Amino acid sequence: MKKLIFSMLLFTATICLLNSCNNGQKATITIDGTVSEDIKDTAYFVYLSDSCFNMNFDVPVDTIYVKNKKFSYSSDVTDPTLIYLRAIFEDGTLAPAMVDFILVPNETAELKVGNGFYKADGSKFYHEWRQFDDFYEENVNSIKELSQQVAQAQYTPEFDSIFQIYQDKVKDLSSSIKNYLNSRENEEGAWIYSLFGGIISPLDTIPDVIKNGRFKPLIDTLAMNEIRYQEQYGEMERLAKQAQAETAEGMMFKDFECEYDGKIQKLSDYVGKGKYVLVDFWASWCGPCRQEVPNIIDVYNKYKGDNFEVIGVAVSDKPEDTQKAVEDLGIEYPQIFNSGDISRNVYGILGIPHIILFGPDGKIIKRDLRGSEIEKCVKTQLKK
């Protein structure tokens, strides 16, 4: 099942793609849709990709108006195209997310969209799309409950065993997907669904007949983006390792500063002042960070005083979101807001939460503390 980013837009549509793109002629794309009774969409902004599937969301190319819960839209294209629809509500505000779908010349698709999902069927391409969709959904549903168990078991003695079972199931699912696609190597719709949904990799497993066919621009674009991502991530890893070496356990802390609400905040406002300081690099949008907060609050309440302090450092987070999370989670220890990527880069942090204990003189005692290890480490140091 191809999931939508949000569930603001509910419609049932039929997409008719009339002419082949192979002869360079334009194909008329017609969308006939019905808006669900329980939403208040009055119109939709339309965004279309170019032939290489690049999108420009600065200005919509058209607007679809809804009348009596129905709408219709036609456009001419020569190649497979991405279309994004963004709902406009009765009060004039825009939906925070968009419905996205792939339009294929010389095919006919029947598109049904529900609350946060859509299902496609129709001619050969879309029928293959639907078959893979059903196969994938059935297999993913088989591990959803296990995934929830993994989330609930974090920082418990049972976590390792449950997580190992989950990893094995994920490997089995990946193998099943690859077997499904390889047994249908010429079925274009299934392969493109897997690419469009970000389900399978690497790209070099795609059969040549599809790789060099009408979706070649999409596949080439994805391949180039993958190369760029690997290059960028490789450089990020290199810089992170360098920063980690410079801020390893036993090294003196490295200061950083950031501005919030007209004031400059520094790590040195807290660290190196004669106290042990536990620093939590976190963000409001980070689920594992929020799960760790109760452990940190417990340690703070037990040991705060003349020899011990706790602070949070908001990483890549909007100050207003950080403040709301502080209130929602009942955090009483101080926060450094709006550090962006500065603090993460200084300490070579690739993933959060990342919790560091600093000594009274500012030396780094322990990095990457989690769960029960936080209190054990703090308690041991305070006894010295």
Side-chain angles (χ1 to χ4, degrees):
M1 180 186 297
K2 167 67 178 172
K3 294 291 184 181
L4 304 181
I5 303 173
F6 289 88
S7 58
M8 295 295 183
L9 180 59
L10 311 173
F11 69 95
T12 301
T14 300
I15 302 177
C16 300
L17 307 159
L18 304 178
N19 299 319
S20 172
C21 67
N22 294 333
N23 57 16
Q25 297 179 354
K26 288 187 176 181
T28 301
I29 303 168
T30 302
I31 302 175
D32 295 317
T34 302
V35 177
S36 174
E37 289 292 335
D38 58 350
I39 58 176
K40 307 296 183 182
D41 301 346
T42 61
Y44 302 103
F45 282 148
V46 178
Y47 304 85
L48 295 176
S49 73
D50 62 20
S51 60
C52 291
F53 294 86
N54 298 309
M55 298 297 302
N56 181 359
F57 293 110
D58 293 336
V59 180
V61 299
D62 211 338
T63 304
I64 304 172
Y65 292 95
V66 178
K67 185 176 181 180
N68 297 324
K69 296 295 182 180
K70 294 184 180 298
F71 64 87
S72 181
Y73 177 73
S74 295
S75 181
D76 293 333
V77 297
T78 57
D79 300 295
T81 304
L82 295 180
I83 183 170
Y84 282 70
L85 302 179
R86 189 172 189 182
I88 306 172
F89 302 135
E90 283 184 339
D91 62 1
T93 60
L94 296 176
M98 308 183 200
V99 168
D100 57 320
F101 191 71
I102 195 162
L103 306 179
V104 185
N106 206 32
E107 297 280 352
T108 300
E110 297 173 356
L111 180 64
K112 294 183 178 181
V113 179
N115 188 9
F117 68 91
Y118 67 69
K119 286 281 190 179
D121 210 329
S123 57
K124 185 175 184 295
F125 176 89
Y126 290 105
H127 187 62
E128 294 169 4
W129 180 292
R130 173 60 181 267
Q131 286 181 316
F132 183 85
D133 185 3
D134 290 342
F135 163 82
Y136 180 69
E137 182 181 359
E138 180 181 352
N139 281 269
V140 167
N141 284 339
S142 70
I143 64 172
K144 277 185 178 179
E145 184 177 345
L146 189 56
S147 175
Q148 294 173 351
Q149 292 177 15
V150 169
Q152 294 170 356
Q154 286 195 74
Y155 319 124
T156 67
E158 296 79 21
F159 176 78
D160 288 341
S161 60
I162 295 176
F163 186 64
Q164 184 59 55
I165 295 172
Y166 175 74
Q167 283 186 311
D168 293 341
K169 290 287 187 180
V170 170
K171 288 179 181 178
D172 289 343
L173 174 58
S174 178
S175 178
S176 295
I177 290 172
K178 290 178 181 178
N179 289 339
Y180 181 100
L181 291 169
N182 289 332
S183 67
R184 297 162 172 80
E185 64 177 19
N186 293 325
E187 290 195 2
E188 189 181 48
W191 277 96
I192 300 306
Y193 180 99
S194 73
L195 290 173
F196 195 65
I199 293 168
I200 189 167
S201 63
L203 291 171
D204 58 14
T205 62
I206 302 169
D208 288 343
V209 66
I210 295 173
K211 188 183 298 183
N212 298 319
R214 58 182 170 176
F215 283 95
K216 179 175 171 54
L218 170 62
I219 295 170
D220 288 348
T221 298
L222 291 173
M224 183 58 67
N225 289 342
E226 178 66 17
I227 291 172
R228 289 173 180 167
Y229 170 77
Q230 293 297 337
E231 289 175 348
Q232 292 172 355
Y233 189 76
E235 177 64 9
M236 185 173 70
E237 274 195 319
R238 185 188 68 80
L239 293 174
K241 287 180 180 179
Q242 179 179 326
Q244 289 168 9
E246 295 172 355
T247 57
E249 293 169 10
M251 303 289 286
M252 187 61 68
F253 85 101
K254 294 187 72 171
D255 204 8
F256 60 82
E257 64 178 46
C258 48
E259 183 177 353
Y260 170 64
D261 199 22
K263 299 178 181 179
I264 298 296
Q265 296 176 292
K266 298 180 181 180
L267 184 64
S268 58
D269 292 339
Y270 303 92
V271 175
K273 301 290 188 181
K275 288 186 178 184
Y276 288 95
V277 182
L278 187 72
V279 180
D280 177 24
F281 295 85
W282 74 298
S284 65
W285 46 262
C286 168
C289 297
R290 297 176 76 104
Q291 290 175 344
E292 197 68 78
V293 165
N295 294 324
I296 298 172
I297 290 176
D298 286 344
V299 172
Y300 174 69
N301 289 335
K302 284 183 181 179
Y303 301 105
K304 64 181 177 180
D306 294 338
N307 296 324
F308 180 70
E309 178 64 282
V310 175
I311 66 167
V313 176
V315 176
S316 303
D317 204 8
K318 295 179 180 179
E320 57 269 27
D321 293 339
T322 304
Q323 184 60 55
K324 185 176 186 306
V326 167
E327 295 170 1
D328 291 345
L329 296 170
I331 298 174
E332 296 182 356
Y333 46 83
Q335 298 290 320
I336 293 180
F337 291 87
N338 201 34
S339 81
D341 291 335
I342 296 171
S343 59
R344 178 179 62 79
N345 292 337
V346 168
Y347 283 87
I349 297 171
L350 291 173
I352 54 176
H354 193 93
I355 301 166
I356 301 176
L357 180 64
F358 295 88
D361 58 356
K363 284 186 179 180
I364 298 169
I365 295 174
K366 192 71 175 177
R367 291 188 56 144
D368 204 16
L369 288 163
R370 298 293 291 272
S372 62
E373 293 300 316
I374 299 172
E375 182 175 2
K376 289 180 182 178
C377 185
V378 169
K379 188 175 182 180
T380 298
Q381 293 300 319
L382 292 177
K383 283 183 177 180
K384 291 183 177 181

